[in-house]
Amino acid sequence: MASFKELPSFLMVFLFVHLAQYCCNRIDDDNCKYNKHNNCVPKVNFRHKEKEVLDQILGPGSYDARIRPSGVNGTGDSPCIVFVNMLVRSISRIDDYKMEYSVQLTFREQWMDERLKFNDYNGKMKYLTLTEASRVWMPDLFFSNEKEGHFHNIIMPNVYIRIFPQGLVLYSIRISLTLSCPMNLKLYPLDRQTCSLRMVSYGWTTDDLVFLWKEGDPVQVVKNLHLPRFTLEKFLTDYCNSKTNTGEYSCLKVDLLFKREFSYYLIQIYIPCCMLVIVSWVSFWLDQSAVPARVSLGVTTLLTMATQTSGINASLPPVSYTKAIDVWTGVCLTFVFGALLEFALVNYASRSDTHRDDMSKKCDLERTVSMDVGDYEDGPNSFNMKPLMRPELMMSRDKMSQIIHQAPPMEKNSCWKSWMSKFPTRSKRIDVISRILFPMVFAMFNMSYWSTYLFREDTEEDK
């Protein structure tokens, strides 16, 4: 085969021309778009056009971010309408002590600014994207019940502004807020709380700026929203325009209705308190002479109950009214303290019974001695009848039977007396009565407590 150098010169020129023409056609194909007549139409770089459009509509001579947009139909007399909607991403905590809650939002605003209209090149340029909010006019919205808040800048600032061809502006940003939430704790922990999110215009009155909720799901909540001790039952949107000395300002409000999860408090508070009260009743079944055991049991349960009560109150703010948990812990503490006082009463009754038995034995002994001495006071050979056997004290058989027939009938509560007669001492009777009385009163308290507060909870829900 002949080498490339051995080819004729005219053939080399021919190949070179055709190669150059092929390369030029390839370059034209990359920069052309052929129409139906197979004519080359130059392609447009829309990314480059975005820069030109932004420079055109946001240039210093054509746009001033200090001037608010015109109102409806481009008239400057009507206020600018801003539509608001948001997505609740998470609610991290609800603090009962500080009465606040933390929430993370994707917050969006939409308004019309006719100064930002541009050519969309037959739908090829759907919108323009900005990340600098200072380049366009922004509504001066703020959260009136905010305590703390911050933007998210990882990895880049989580904010964008989209400008649509007809002049519609969409502003979206991700923020985290800590908001105040005044709570009514009268039914705690069987309560429901309503926490609000208020958005107000700071400087523009309703004559210049009006906030409206966007139609169709103005507030959205993620499906996997989880709260440790609360459940988000529902949320309501409303308007809350505020009037001050400087004018009327547009305001939007979101009410988040939270229901407290009772299972946590049932396991951590109510069941342990019931167990402490029942343990204090063990003292009624111990022997009255077991003083160290009964005293240590009563004091231990009382101190444990007091510690439980102080721990509950430490996690709640000091309020001037009585909470449902205060009623429960107060009554439980009273029952434990009552069990300790019951032992003090039993101990006193036991010592009183012992003292009375000793005095009775002493009197019987003295009476016996005196009777023996009286029998021989006239001398050893004299006969002296005992007082009960003297003739003047003797009764006839007919008179005794008459007295028996005239005796009152037996009382109907002889069963109770016969049962109590099994416990001859007062101290034992106090223990036996306490074994029945304390559980009955505690059961009655539970019935009244749960029926009262559960009924009040349902009433609050209906309101």
Side-chain angles (χ1 to χ4, degrees):
M1 180 181 293
S3 63
F4 183 75
K5 294 181 180 181
E6 297 177 352
L7 293 175
S9 57
F10 71 92
L11 186 57
M12 292 179 61
V13 172
F14 178 79
L15 292 175
F16 180 77
V17 171
H18 278 274
L19 182 61
Q21 185 178 3
Y22 174 77
C23 293
C24 292
N25 291 336
R26 291 294 299 173
I27 295 174
D28 292 340
D29 290 340
D30 293 336
N31 295 326
C32 291
K33 181 179 180 181
Y34 293 94
N35 56 16
K36 60 181 180 179
H37 301 291
N38 201 22
N39 296 326
C40 177
V41 178
K43 292 184 178 180
V44 180
N45 188 350
F46 291 102
R47 301 286 75 81
H48 181 71
K49 286 294 183 181
E50 285 186 7
K51 177 183 178 303
E52 295 180 358
V53 172
L54 287 174
D55 293 338
Q56 178 184 357
I57 63 176
L58 297 178
S62 58
Y63 187 85
D64 192 345
R66 299 173 297 177
I67 308 300
R68 74 167 179 88
S70 301
V72 181
N73 298 325
T75 59
D77 297 335
S78 58
C80 177
I81 306 298
V82 178
F83 295 93
V84 176
N85 70 318
M86 65 180 66
L87 169 66
V88 180
R89 290 183 171 271
S90 65
I91 300 176
S92 57
R93 66 184 179 91
I94 301 176
D95 195 333
D96 297 317
Y97 190 84
K98 295 182 179 180
M99 291 193 178
E100 63 185 21
Y101 70 105
S102 298
V103 61
Q104 185 182 123
L105 305 172
T106 297
F107 182 74
R108 307 184 188 95
E109 294 176 309
Q110 289 183 351
W111 66 93
M112 184 66 70
D113 194 342
E114 296 184 355
R115 297 172 297 175
L116 300 177
K117 290 182 178 180
F118 62 90
N119 183 14
D120 62 350
Y121 294 94
N122 296 324
K124 299 299 182 180
M125 192 178 298
K126 295 182 179 180
Y127 53 81
L128 303 174
T129 302
L130 295 176
T131 56
E132 299 178 11
S134 60
R135 299 192 63 182
V136 297
W137 177 87
M138 294 291 299
D140 59 344
L141 180 143
F142 77 102
F143 298 92
S144 60
N145 58 334
E146 173 207 352
K147 287 186 175 181
E148 295 179 358
H150 66 273
F151 302 122
H152 292 265
N153 298 318
I154 304 299
I155 297 177
M156 293 294 292
N158 298 167
V159 58
Y160 68 80
I161 299 174
R162 289 179 180 175
I163 303 175
F164 294 86
Q166 65 273 22
L168 181 66
V169 181
L170 171 63
Y171 174 70
S172 177
I173 188 171
R174 187 165 73 100
I175 53 178
S176 291
L177 301 170
T178 299
L179 306 163
S180 64
C181 179
M183 299 181 183
N184 186 354
L185 300 175
K186 288 184 178 180
L187 299 181
Y188 177 90
L190 300 168
D191 57 336
R192 285 176 167 84
Q193 300 297 336
T194 301
C195 296
S196 299
L197 177 64
R198 295 174 177 267
M199 296 155 285
V200 192
S201 173
Y202 191 83
W204 298 98
T205 63
T206 53
D207 296 333
D208 297 311
L209 179 62
V210 173
F211 292 116
L212 295 178
W213 287 113
K214 184 180 179 181
E215 296 182 359
D217 295 335
V219 178
Q220 301 171 346
V221 180
V222 294
K223 295 183 179 180
N224 58 346
L225 181 65
H226 176 71
L227 298 173
R229 289 185 294 175
F230 287 87
T231 300
L232 180 60
E233 288 191 326
K234 58 182 178 180
F235 52 88
L236 304 173
T237 58
D238 200 359
Y239 296 91
C240 54
N241 290 4
S242 59
K243 292 183 179 180
T244 64
N245 294 333
T246 57
E248 182 179 359
Y249 298 90
S250 183
C251 174
L252 301 179
K253 180 178 68 171
V254 183
D255 290 332
L256 304 173
L257 277 68
F258 297 103
K259 180 183 178 182
R260 197 181 300 271
E261 288 291 342
F262 179 68
S263 58
Y264 169 81
Y265 300 94
L266 179 66
I267 297 173
Q268 297 295 327
I269 296 177
Y270 285 92
I271 292 179
C273 288
C274 283
M275 294 174 66
L276 286 174
V277 173
I278 295 173
V279 167
S280 68
W281 298 342
V282 177
S283 174
F284 307 150
W285 299 87
L286 297 178
D287 189 75
Q288 59 190 11
S289 60
V291 177
R294 297 188 69 163
V295 170
S296 61
L297 180 62
V299 172
T300 301
T301 52
L302 183 62
L303 292 178
T304 306
M305 191 67 215
T307 304
Q308 180 85 348
T309 303
S310 62
I312 295 170
N313 293 330
S315 61
L316 296 174
V319 294
S320 59
Y321 49 82
T322 302
K323 303 180 289 294
I325 195 66
D326 294 335
V327 176
W328 175 264
T329 55
V331 172
C332 291
L333 188 62
T334 303
F335 271 93
V336 175
F337 183 68
L340 186 60
L341 291 182
E342 188 271 348
F343 170 68
L345 181 62
V346 167
N347 186 265
Y348 173 78
S350 177
R351 288 186 286 109
S352 179
D353 291 339
T354 303
H355 179 70
R356 186 175 58 180
D357 291 342
D358 293 342
M359 293 299 294
S360 178
K361 290 180 181 179
K362 184 177 180 181
C363 293
D364 291 342
L365 181 60
E366 291 178 354
R367 188 182 300 110
T368 302
V369 172
S370 63
M371 290 174 61
D372 293 341
V373 172
D375 291 341
Y376 296 95
E377 64 182 358
D378 295 336
N381 295 324
S382 63
F383 178 77
N384 190 13
M385 296 180 62
K386 294 182 179 180
L388 294 178
M389 300 300 294
R390 290 177 181 176
E392 59 270 16
L393 297 177
M394 297 292 291
M395 293 184 182
S396 63
R397 183 176 299 177
D398 296 337
K399 192 174 183 179
M400 287 293 294
S401 62
Q402 184 179 0
I403 293 174
I404 293 173
H405 286 296
Q406 292 178 356
M410 297 182 64
E411 298 181 0
K412 294 182 179 180
N413 58 352
S414 58
C415 295
W416 170 259
K417 286 188 173 181
S418 62
W419 182 71
M420 291 299 296
S421 63
K422 298 179 182 179
F423 312 102
T425 61
R426 289 186 300 171
S427 58
K428 191 66 175 177
R429 290 177 182 178
I430 294 174
D431 272 342
V432 172
I433 294 174
S434 299
R435 295 173 189 174
I436 302 173
L437 185 62
F438 272 71
M440 287 181 59
V441 176
F442 190 68
M444 293 174 61
F445 162 71
N446 271 271
M447 293 176 60
S448 60
Y449 179 86
W450 294 114
S451 60
T452 299
Y453 282 101
L454 290 178
F455 176 75
R456 289 181 63 182
E457 181 188 8
D458 295 337
T459 304
E460 293 292 333
E461 183 180 1
D462 294 338
K463 290 181 179 180

